[in-house]
Amino acid sequence: MSNRAVEILEEANAILTGHFKLTSGLHSNRYIQCAQVFQYPDKVEELCKLLAQKLQGKGITTVIGPAVGGIIFSYALSSALNCKNIYAERVEEKMSFRRNFSVEPGEKVVVVEDVVTTGGSAKEVAVLAQSLGAEVVAICSLVDRSGGKVDFGVPFVPLIQMNVVTYQPDDCPLCKEGKPLIQPGSRHLKL
């Protein structure tokens, strides 16, 4: 784990405690709100430079992030890698490229997601890029909160790995204690 990366997230108050409903539908007592760190360009730049070091020599030509949460992250990582940046958007519940964004057959891409729990959004974007012939060199995240359990079928390169407990909604002890449930993620937003 990158101690400096954790320090940056803590400095930005991006690591929250409480009772949260994650994008995956699971519940947790901790939430990583990368939007907090994305307010500070210098902090995002430093995080992405640390991550870019892990990606050297892979010939990456494009970074792709899912909207909304991955837009700033993908832009900052593409800047650190000095390559093209695009993002995918959810259209009728399916990730798609809009705004004339595209990838070419054989193009070497990295897909990013700020925080990975189940990896659903990143998987969708990777499948989209692969369906157009791109080579997904890696999937990256600032934080892997899956405990290393997510298998994307391509290399997964997180900057930080955090073991954070998650619960099925029916078995959530926080629900049983009556703690208010907060849903801070962006997937429930319609674009």
Side-chain angles (χ1 to χ4, degrees), residues 153-189:
V154 298
F156 178 37
V157 183
L159 183 57
I160 302 168
Q161 287 191 311
M162 297 179 80
N163 288 324
V164 179
V165 177
T166 57
Y167 308 101
Q168 291 294 332
D170 293 341
D171 296 325
C172 178
L174 303 168
C175 287
K176 292 175 183 165
E177 292 173 19
K179 294 194 176 186
L181 182 65
I182 301 165
Q183 185 174 359
S186 62
R187 180 176 276 186
H188 63 281
L189 299 176

